[in-house]
Amino acid sequence: MTSTEKTRVRTGTTPPAARTGPTASSRPVQRVPVRVRAFDAAHPWLWDGTLAGTWTVAALVDATGGWRNTAQDPSVPPWLVVATTLALVLPLYRRRRHPVGALTAMACATLVSTVSGAFLQAAFLQAIPLFHIALRRPPRALLWSTALIGTPLAAGAVRFPGGSWAEHAVPALWTYVLAALLGITVRSRRDEREQEVRLAAAAERTRIAREMHDIIGHNLAVITGLADGGRYAAAKNPERAAQALDAIGTTSRQALAELRRLLGVLGQDGTAAESADRTPQPGLADLPALVDGVRKAGLRVHAELPAAPHPLSPGAELTVYRVAQEALTNTLKHVGEGAETSVTLAFAPGALTLTVADTGGKGADPATSRVLPQGRGLAGMRERAALYDGTLECGPPPAGGGWRVRLRLPLEDSPS
C-alpha cells in the first residue's frame, strides 16, 4: 500500500471502489442474520416457545421409558417422572427474560430427580439458562448459579454414593462449565463490539463538530463582515450595499449547501450516505475562492497560492483548506481597522507550509484573546495537523504585532 493509500484509508477518503467491505453478492447473505435477529427481537415469544416446545417433546419421549437406562432407581413412579420432566423443560420459555428464575425452578426439579433416583437426562438443560446468566447477568449471579447447580449434584452423591456416580457428575459439571464459558465469551465479544461502536460514534461526532464549526463559523464571520459593510454603504453608495446583500445571499447558500452535504452523511439510508461521501471536499484549488470571500467581507488579503508540484491526498488538501479558513475567520472576528492579512502557501522538499498572518490593525484584540481556550478553533486545527503528522504554530510573529498561524505538513513521499 502506498503512502497516499494509507492516508486515504486513515482519513476515510478512499474512493468507494477501493474500500474494503462486503461485495454486492455477499450483502444478501449478511442481511439474513440481521433480519433473523430483528424478527426475534420483535417476536421473542415465537423462538422461546419453539425451543421450549421442542425440548418438552424430546423430554417426554425419554420419560416414556428411556430414562430407566441411566436411572439409579428404575422403580420411580411414572407420574413423578412426567411431573419432574415438565418442571425441567417448561422454564426454558422464560430463560432469556428471567434466567435466574428459570434455573432456580429447574434446579429444584433436578434435586427431585436425583434424590428420587430417576437421574433424568433433561437435567442437562440447565446449561441453557446458565448460558444466559453468564451472557446477561452480573458475574455474581454465576456464584448463585453454582450453588443452584451444585446442590442437586451433592444430594445425588450422598443419596447414591456408588462408584457409578462419577459417570453422572463429571459430564454434568463439564457441560455447565462449558456453557458458562461460552456465555462469558459471547458477552466479551458483544461488549467489544459495543465499545468499538461507541468509539466510532464519538470520533464521528468529533469530526462532524469540527466540520460544522469550520463551516458555520467561517461563513457567519463573512456574512457579519458583509452586513456591517453594507450598513455603512447604504447611506452613501446604495450600489455597494446591493452588492453586499448579493454576497451575503451567495455565502449563505454556500454554507447551507455544505451543511446539507455534511448532514447527509448522518442519514440512515446507506445510499444517501454513500452519495454524500462522493461529494468533493474543498481543497487547494478552493483557496482563491476562500480568499475572495473574506475580501468581500472587508478584509484586505494578499495571497500567494502556487500550484502543488504533485497531487496531494484529498484529506491533506482538506486540512490545509480548513486551517486557512479558521485562521481567516479568526482574523475577521478580531482584527482592527487598517489591518492587512497575508496567506502564503509554500512547497519545499518533503513538506508544505501554510502561513496566515495579519498586522493586527487599530483597535485589534490582544493577541492572547485571538483564539479562545474554550472554543474548538485551535483544537480543531491541531487535530487536523496531527492527523497528517504536521505541526501548527499560533501566536504573535517574532517581530511583534498581529497574529500568525503556520501549518507545516510532511509530503506523502517523506518520512513521518
Side-chain angles (χ1 to χ4, degrees), residues 91-387:
L92 291 177
Y93 182 77
R94 307 286 291 180
R95 77 194 186 285
R96 286 196 290 186
R97 285 159 288 182
H98 304 285
V100 177
L103 182 62
T104 302
M106 295 175 72
C108 294
T110 303
L111 181 62
V112 174
S113 173
T114 55
V115 171
S116 65
F119 282 81
L120 298 176
Q121 297 297 303
F124 283 97
L125 295 177
Q126 294 177 103
I128 297 177
L130 181 63
F131 167 81
H132 287 279
I133 291 174
L135 179 63
R136 294 186 171 88
R137 292 294 184 266
R140 64 176 179 273
L142 284 176
L143 298 178
W144 291 103
S145 303
T146 302
L148 289 173
I149 291 176
T151 300
L153 293 176
V158 173
R159 178 75 172 79
F160 300 96
S164 61
W165 164 247
E167 298 178 1
H168 296 281
V170 174
L173 288 175
W174 274 113
T175 299
Y176 302 142
V177 169
L178 291 176
L181 291 177
L182 179 61
I184 293 173
T185 302
V186 175
R187 179 175 187 161
S188 299
R189 294 292 301 274
R190 183 193 63 188
D191 292 344
E192 290 177 3
R193 289 194 298 269
E194 292 178 352
Q195 179 68 12
E196 291 175 356
V197 170
R198 286 194 294 268
L199 291 175
E204 186 66 8
R205 284 195 298 269
T206 301
R207 185 187 71 83
I208 293 172
R210 184 170 57 230
E211 290 289 331
M212 294 187 70
H213 170 273
D214 293 340
I215 294 171
I216 297 176
H218 172 75
N219 286 287
L220 285 180
V222 172
I223 290 172
T224 301
L226 290 169
D228 290 341
R231 182 182 62 184
Y232 290 116
K236 298 180 180 180
N237 192 339
E239 183 178 351
R240 291 292 301 274
Q243 292 175 356
L245 290 175
D246 290 340
I248 288 174
T250 301
T251 304
S252 301
R253 284 189 291 271
Q254 290 175 350
L256 184 60
E258 287 192 59
L259 283 176
R260 284 176 175 170
R261 175 190 57 77
L262 179 61
L263 296 177
V265 182
L266 299 177
Q268 296 181 355
D269 183 70
T271 305
E274 291 181 4
S275 176
D277 282 341
R278 296 190 184 101
T279 305
Q281 293 273 28
L284 299 183
D286 300 289
L287 287 175
L290 176 67
V291 172
D292 290 340
V294 295
R295 281 175 180 160
K296 292 179 181 179
L299 185 65
R300 290 189 289 178
V301 183
H302 172 70
E304 295 181 9
L305 304 172
H310 58 79
L312 304 179
S313 70
E317 291 197 12
L318 177 62
T319 297
V320 176
Y321 180 89
R322 292 302 188 200
V323 170
Q325 185 183 56
E326 178 64 23
L328 290 172
T329 301
N330 285 333
T331 302
L332 276 173
K333 291 179 180 178
H334 302 287
V335 77
E337 294 182 15
E340 294 186 358
T341 305
S342 62
V343 180
T344 305
L345 184 63
F347 295 90
L352 68 84
T353 303
L354 171 72
T355 305
V356 181
D358 63 72
T359 59
K362 184 186 302 183
D365 290 349
T368 55
S369 66
R370 184 63 63 92
V371 181
L372 298 178
Q374 67 270 23
R376 287 206 49 85
L378 179 59
M381 288 193 290
R382 292 198 186 280
E383 289 171 2
R384 291 184 185 277
L387 185 62

Side-chain angles (χ1 to χ4, degrees), residues 5-58:
E5 292 171 340
K6 290 179 180 178
T7 302
R8 288 178 175 175
V9 169
R10 180 171 56 179
T11 58
T13 55
T14 306
R19 293 176 183 169
T20 59
T23 60
S25 59
S26 65
R27 285 171 185 163
V29 177
Q30 293 183 349
R31 292 193 188 104
V32 172
V34 175
R35 292 176 177 174
V36 170
R37 286 193 294 269
F39 180 82
D40 179 53
H43 309 86
W45 56 270
L46 182 60
W47 170 241
D48 293 343
T50 301
L51 180 70
T54 301
W55 283 113
T56 299
V57 172

